[in-house]
Amino acid sequence: MYVAKKFPRNDSLSAWVGLLPARQARPALSSAVTVDVAIIGAGFAGLSAARRLSQLDANLRVAVLEAGVVGEGATGRNSGFIIDLPHEVSAEDFGDTSTERARRDITLYRSAIGLATDMAEQYGWGREILDPCGRYSVAISAKGDAHIRTYAQQLKGLGESHEILDAQGIYAVTGSRLYTSGLYMPGTVMVQPAAYIRAVADSLRSPVSLYENCAVLSFQKQAGGWLLKTREGSVSAQRIILATNGHAQSFGLFPSQLLHVFTYASMTEPFDPRRLAGKRDWAATPALPMGTTVRRVSGADGDRILIRSRYSYHAGIEINDGHVQSAGRVHDGKFADRFPGLLGLKMQYRWGGPMALTWNSVPLFGEIEPGLISACACNGLGASKSSAAGIAAAEAAMGLKSPLVDILSKYDSPKKLPPQPLLSIGAKADLKLREWRAGRE
C-alpha cells in the first residue's frame, strides 16, 4: 500500500490565479466508482494524459483526482513557456548535447505544443489563454552575447528558425536598454498557465470525470487492478497514472531520487502601456542558465511585467512567506535594472512554485509495477516536459509503443542522491554557485 504522508501546500497567491475569477471547483468524490484509468494530479501531466486517453478511446472511463483546485498548484505557478527547443542558451550546456538528443527533446516539446494548439483551435481559445508568439533569449553581458551566438549556430545546424537581434533590435521588442542582444525563436507557445489548465480541465467530457479538492490518501494493488481511497470515496481502476511530480515522494516512491527546488516570481501592478516602449506581449528567457526570465503581459487594465529569478532547495517540499519575500527583494533589483522608466511601479503579486529534479536530469517515467505508470520529475520546463510525459503515460497505459514512449523509456535511470545532511548542503551550495555565475543576467 502507498500511503500519503503529506499533501501539497500553496500559501502565496500566484498572479495567474489572482487575475482570474474565483474557480467553481468540481465536487470531490463522495462514493465508490470503477474506472479503467485513474489519474492522480490535474496539472500539465495529469490533464494532458486525460486528454490523450480520450483521444485514444472515447469510451474509456477515466477519473482525474486533484488534491486542490485546478490551477492553484504548481501548474498555476509556472511562467507559461511551452517551449519547442532545448532551453539553455549556453555553449557548455548545449555543446555537450548531441544532435540526436536535441531532436529527441524537440519531439517531446512539440508534442506538448501540438496538444495545446489543437485544443485552442478546437475550443476557440483566445490569446489571453494561449499565444503562439515565440520567445526571446536575452543577454546583458559579453558572456551572454557569446552564448547567444553559439546557440544560434547550434540552431542553424539543426535547421531551426531563429533571428539574432542586436541591442537596438531587442530594445524595439522589450523597451529595455539593458539588453545587449537577443535571439528570437518562433516556435514557443505562451500560455496564461492557470487559465490554460482550467480550460483543459473544463474541456473534459464524460466518461472522463474530474474531482477537485479530492486528495488521494492511499492506493494499493487489488485483484484486477488498483484501489485508491480518498476522504469520502474510493476508485477501483485497472491502471493508475501518477502525475504528482515531486509529491510522488509523499507516497514513499522514489526515495533518494528527487531534488525539490523552488523558483520564484513577482508580477507588477498594471501600468499605462505608453510608459514603456516595445511590444505589449513578449516573453524572454535568460542567455545564461539561472538568469532572469521576463514577460510583458497586456490586459484591459494595462500591462504588467513578470520577473522570475532565484532558486532554493527544500527537502520538505514547502516554503514560507519569508522565502517568497526574500526572492522578491531580488526581483525588485532585477526589475529596476531592466526598466528604470517604470520607477515607482509596485509588485502586486509574489509567489513560489516547486520543481522536481533528478541528479542526472532524467524523468521518472514508466511502469513502476504492473498497472502503475509514473509521469514525474519534470526537471524544469514543466509546461513542455510534464505535458509530454502525460501524453506518453496515456499511450503507455493503452499499451502503445509510440515515439514519445520510446524516447522517455530510453533515458538513463536516475542517480541516487547523497544522504542528508550532505544533500542539503550540496544542493544549496550548487544553486548559489549557479546564481553567482549568472550574475546580473
Side-chain angles (χ1 to χ4, degrees):
M1 178 183 290
Y2 298 94
V3 180
K5 299 296 193 295
K6 63 190 305 182
F7 300 99
R9 194 185 82 185
N10 301 299
D11 292 337
S12 54
L13 177 64
S14 158
W16 306 119
V17 175
L19 294 173
L20 295 175
R23 176 171 173 79
Q24 295 298 311
R26 303 276 184 94
L29 181 64
S30 59
S31 62
V33 298
T34 299
V35 299
D36 299 300
V37 182
I39 300 172
I40 306 177
F44 286 121
L47 292 183
S48 296
R51 167 75 177 183
R52 184 63 178 135
L53 286 170
S54 67
Q55 290 176 330
L56 294 170
D57 184 348
N59 296 314
L60 201 71
R61 297 167 300 169
V62 179
V64 184
L65 304 157
E66 167 56 38
V69 176
V70 167
E72 296 185 6
T75 294
R77 296 162 183 277
N78 189 279
S79 293
F81 291 73
I82 310 184
I83 72 165
D84 69 327
L85 297 171
H87 189 57
E88 294 85 357
V89 182
S90 158
E92 293 92 343
D93 291 337
F94 199 90
D96 290 340
T97 303
S98 67
T99 299
E100 180 182 352
R101 176 168 179 170
R103 295 198 184 284
R104 179 195 68 191
D105 290 345
I106 290 168
T107 297
L108 288 175
Y109 302 160
R110 286 183 175 158
S111 72
I113 290 173
L115 185 87
T117 54
D118 285 349
M119 284 189 288
E121 182 176 349
Q122 179 179 350
Y123 300 113
W125 299 342
R127 288 177 177 261
E128 73 281 0
I129 294 179
L130 184 148
D131 187 358
C133 60
R135 72 173 168 110
Y136 298 86
S137 186
V138 289
I140 64 172
S141 66
K143 186 177 180 181
D145 295 336
H147 283 188
I148 280 181
R149 290 192 299 269
T150 300
Y151 186 59
Q153 284 298 114
Q154 298 283 353
L155 294 182
K156 184 178 179 180
L158 290 169
E160 294 293 340
S161 298
H162 63 281
E163 178 186 0
I164 293 181
L165 304 173
D166 61 12
Q168 185 58 35
I170 197 63
Y171 167 76
V173 173
T174 65
S176 175
R177 293 290 186 189
L178 185 69
Y179 296 128
T180 51
S181 67
L183 179 68
Y184 177 63
M185 294 153 284
T188 290
V189 167
M190 299 303 302
V191 296
Q192 203 283 34
Y196 169 78
I197 209 66
R198 283 188 186 184
V200 178
D202 293 340
S203 73
L204 300 175
R205 296 291 181 267
S206 181
V208 179
S209 299
L210 168 65
Y211 303 97
E212 298 180 62
N213 292 313
C214 189
V216 174
L217 305 180
S218 66
F219 55 92
Q220 65 186 96
K221 195 76 175 174
Q222 66 174 9
W226 293 85
L227 177 65
L228 303 88
K229 293 185 178 180
T230 67
R231 288 185 176 87
E232 298 181 1
S234 65
V235 181
S236 294
Q238 295 177 18
R239 286 146 286 176
I240 294 175
I241 293 176
L242 187 66
T244 56
N245 211 16
H247 271 280
Q249 277 194 334
S250 300
F251 290 98
L253 290 159
F254 313 125
S256 302
Q257 293 180 345
L258 282 170
L259 284 160
H260 302 287
V261 173
F262 282 73
T263 185
Y264 301 86
S266 298
M267 185 179 280
T268 68
E269 60 192 2
F271 62 90
D272 186 331
R274 292 173 294 184
R275 292 186 62 186
L276 182 65
K279 297 182 178 181
R280 292 191 63 192
D281 286 279
W282 53 268
T285 50
L288 301 183
M290 304 289 285
T292 305
T293 294
V294 183
R295 279 187 72 174
R296 180 174 177 177
V297 183
S298 66
D301 58 350
D303 292 5
R304 298 171 184 266
I305 299 289
L306 174 143
I307 300 288
R308 191 189 77 180
S309 184
R310 197 69 191 276
Y311 297 82
S312 61
Y313 168 76
H314 298 273
I317 330 179
E318 288 183 1
I319 56 173
N320 57 41
D321 187 62
H323 299 118
V324 175
Q325 295 306 316
S326 175
R329 290 189 286 273
V330 174
H331 298 162
D332 291 345
K334 304 283 189 181
F335 177 75
D337 277 351
R338 287 155 178 77
F339 306 105
L342 297 177
L343 184 66
L345 189 67
K346 296 179 180 179
M347 295 293 176
Q348 185 174 354
Y349 298 97
R350 301 190 193 275
W351 68 97
M355 299 187 295
L357 315 178
T358 55
W359 194 352
N360 49 336
S361 299
V362 299
L364 291 165
F365 175 83
E367 201 165 49
I368 302 169
E369 56 178 289
L372 177 59
I373 300 164
S374 170
C376 298
C378 65
N379 289 285
L381 304 185
S384 302
K385 290 184 177 178
S386 292
S387 296
I391 296 168
E395 293 170 344
M398 299 299 287
L400 297 182
K401 296 188 181 300
S402 70
L404 293 187
V405 172
D406 184 59
I407 289 170
L408 287 166
S409 298
K410 287 182 177 177
Y411 276 93
D412 293 336
S413 298
K415 292 181 179 179
K416 188 175 181 180
L417 296 168
Q420 295 288 9
L422 294 179
L423 175 58
S424 289
I425 295 169
K428 291 176 181 179
D430 183 65
L431 289 173
K432 289 289 186 185
L433 176 62
R434 289 171 181 263
E435 288 187 337
W436 177 78
R437 285 175 176 171
R440 292 181 67 211
E441 296 273 356

